[in-house]
Amino acid sequence: MATTKYIFVTGGVTSSLGKGIIASSLAKLLQARGYKVTIQKLDPYINVDPGTLNPYEHGECYVTEDGAETDLDLGHYERFLNSPTTQANNVTTGRIYQSVINKERHGDYLGKTVQIIPHITDEIKRYVKYLGSKKKFDIVISEIGGTVGDIESLPYIEAVRQLKWEMGTDALFIHLTLVPYLSSTGELKTKPTQHSVKALLENGVQPDVLVLRTEHPLSPGLKEKVALFCNVSKEAVIESIDVSTIYEVPIRMRNEKLDEIVLKKLGLPVGDPPELKDWNDFLYRFTNPQKEVKIALIGKYVELHDAYKSISEALIHSGAANDCRVKIEWIHSERITEENIERKVKGCSGMIIAPGFGYRGTEGKIVAARYARINKMPFFGICLGMQIAVIEFARNILDLEGADSTEMNPETPFPVIDLMEEQKEITDKGGTMRLGSYDCHLKKDSKSFAAYGKSKVSERHRHRYEFNNAFLEKFENRGMKAVGINPDTNLVEVVEIPDHPWFIGVQFHPEYSSTVLQPHPLFVAFIKAVLENSK
Ligand code: GLN
């Protein structure tokens, strides 16, 4: 295609309306019509990336193959599109300012006063156009974080206003708002949408398409009213009604013709209806499960489910692959004791110990891992979850009293999990972990090999600490095997207990690469084992 087209998605009225899901759903439909699409998130905060943010602040930190620590919306983009994103798909105000300030120090603006307009806005424009310049995509969708009217998002709105002015019909604006329902009068109200569009207009942006989040169907009259007040054509007022699963949104958007309207407005051929058979098959299996299982998800941020977004989504994908609904029992690791663990995991047929950082909650996780090991409950330890399984095994089977990770106890006599040599000199916290994809070789007689069906795999990492190979022989002699090894560094990436129905710990994050159309093989195998155990 000659020129790349750009779609900017803004949000109004409240946050959390699901811009990421709307952007992903539209991208899915365009992809299903044969277009090459990518999605970018522009985040208005000053952190360079979300890697240093507490999950309570921002939910999960998602990691791309190229090792970028990013917003969790990128996880949705990948799960919907089944194609990888990169560092360029997530830009923050911090990153924009960092590169402008670096250029200023370098002398690139010599003689000039460096200002928000044009220097910051130019930098934003450069990051937006960068993805298009790769010639890999027909359409780039940029989602602007925050809500119109926020001081923080102003430079982004200004930058995309300028882009629209430069690009004309090659650019398009979609604005997502809320139509609240007043139960006392039984009415849907359009005023907040009108105000939100006014706020956009004040900044020089006229939306081309309005997507209205609503709890109840919107009447043609209401859509007409919104169209009239907001200078938008009637068919470009799209209803986005609440649905029980985010994976139904592409189908709803398809029914509302969002993709067709967007393509027409961009002057692109609409072509044949989108091919969504596999997607619909998944939806059918997900919404018509034959069985149900419950798994215990043990973590220290369980109050905020978004902290484990990719894990819970991977359980949806792998559940559907097994024709089964997976219910999650969220268990707070800080509240687990020897006395209550049995009660806490009652009714669960499998256990996941989640990733995490720092000492808080780790002793409870160790108690849980021991329970799963002894009671032959399918166990899946992810990153810190694997390290916990190793510590538990060291303490209770190898009799290494006080065995620990040096992250939790730097003075431990048995550092079974320890800092990598190249990490020891690092003091900066941002972007300095082992990040992104690394190769791993699986041993042929392992359950992991059976799950993947191959020995050479590549998985994403986000951690500083590693299995300490000085103890490897002891572990293997007593029944915990290192079955996945990094071929370049010899680091242990997967451990298993062969003498257990399904006990696997992985140093990487399989959840990041599970998608609707390609559920992660380890999650699929785990759910299969959980189903077995539930019989
Ligand atoms: N805190 C551990 C480490 O840094 C595990 C990290 C994680 O679970 N992502 O190695």
Side-chain angles (χ1 to χ4, degrees), residues 5 47 112 150-151 197 274 282 285 303 307 340 365 429:
K5 307 279 185 176
N47 304 63
K112 291 269 182 278
D150 295 349
I151 290 175
V197 171
F282 157 80
R285 273 182 279 113
E303 309 91 313
N340 69 18
K365 286 181 172 172
K429 293 280 183 258

Side-chain angles (χ1 to χ4, degrees), residues 509-528:
H509 290 264
E511 69 276 22
Y512 291 146
S513 50
S514 184
T515 71
V516 167
L517 299 187
Q518 274 174 321
H520 194 283
L522 285 178
F523 275 90
V524 176
F526 170 63
I527 295 303
K528 207 161 161 243

Side-chain angles (χ1 to χ4, degrees), residues 69-127:
E69 296 179 283
T70 72
D71 186 77
L72 59 73
D73 268 332
L74 271 79
H76 292 308
Y77 306 163
E78 290 201 13
R79 289 188 280 272
F80 276 62
L81 293 183
N82 203 32
S83 66
T85 55
T86 64
Q87 175 68 73
N89 293 75
N90 193 190
V91 179
T92 68
T93 295
R95 190 171 295 279
I96 299 283
Y97 271 79
Q98 192 180 46
S99 59
V100 168
I101 290 168
N102 286 343
K103 285 181 185 173
E104 186 274 334
R105 291 290 81 185
H106 187 247
D108 292 7
Y109 312 114
L110 222 48
K112 291 269 182 278
T113 307
V114 181
Q115 295 181 295
I116 292 182
I117 305 171
H119 301 101
I120 294 297
T121 46
D122 277 355
E123 199 63 22
I124 295 171
K125 285 158 71 179
R126 199 174 67 76
Y127 275 99

Side-chain angles (χ1 to χ4, degrees), residues 355-358 382-384 387 407 462-465 507 509:
F357 293 85
I382 301 177
C383 206
L384 177 66
Q387 299 175 355
E407 178 181 12
R462 181 174 186 250
H463 56 102
R464 269 181 229 289
Y465 295 82
Q507 187 56 83
H509 290 264

